Amino acid sequence: IPLLLQNNQNSQRLKRVCLIGDHLQLPPVVKNMAFQKFSKLDQSLFGRLIRLGAPVIHLDRQGRSRVEIAKLYSWRYKELGNLKHVESSPMYKVANAGFAR
């Protein structure tokens, strides 16, 4: 993140950066063993930030997947529930919600 490349002449410098991501998703793939082991490039940016104690807010509701599909990844996101519209909307009850009318 090129925060240091900001123009110092004006008084409107960037004071905060908000990163949005998921440290529980798949890690980066590094094929070079030297980089993977000694440089720790097999960790994602978010994984590093979590390990270093950066403040985190975990989402506890999802609103994009059908309930049955959301259950498939409940082993990884144990506290994740569904938004009300996912449980009640008829569009989320059909086999392929993208083609529902």
Side-chain angles (χ1 to χ4, degrees):
I1 303 172
L3 298 176
L4 297 175
L5 298 178
Q6 295 182 62
N7 186 357
N8 291 336
Q9 296 172 355
N10 63 16
S11 62
Q12 296 181 348
R13 286 187 53 106
L14 182 67
K15 294 184 173 68
R16 182 178 295 171
V17 174
C18 178
L19 300 174
I20 300 172
D22 187 354
H23 65 286
L24 297 176
Q25 289 186 353
L26 294 173
V29 176
V30 180
K31 295 186 178 184
N32 185 312
M33 274 305 201
F35 284 133
Q36 185 180 32
K37 298 296 177 192
F38 301 112
S39 300
K40 298 193 186 306
L41 290 178
D42 57 341
Q43 297 177 26
S44 69
L45 171 64
F46 287 99
R48 290 173 191 258
L49 292 172
I50 298 299
R51 195 183 84 238
L52 293 172
V56 178
I57 297 173
H58 292 281
L59 299 179
D60 60 356
R61 299 281 182 260
Q62 70 87 23
R64 295 175 61 184
S65 298
R66 290 176 31 215
V67 175
E68 297 83 5
I69 294 174
K71 286 179 186 175
L72 292 174
Y73 45 87
S74 64
W75 65 273
R76 174 70 92 170
Y77 304 96
K78 300 197 183 317
E79 304 294 324
L80 188 65
N82 298 300
L83 293 173
K84 290 179 183 177
H85 76 275
V86 172
E87 296 174 350
S88 62
S89 174
M91 185 172 72
Y92 286 92
K93 301 205 183 297
V94 295
N96 189 338
F99 294 112
R101 290 183 182 209

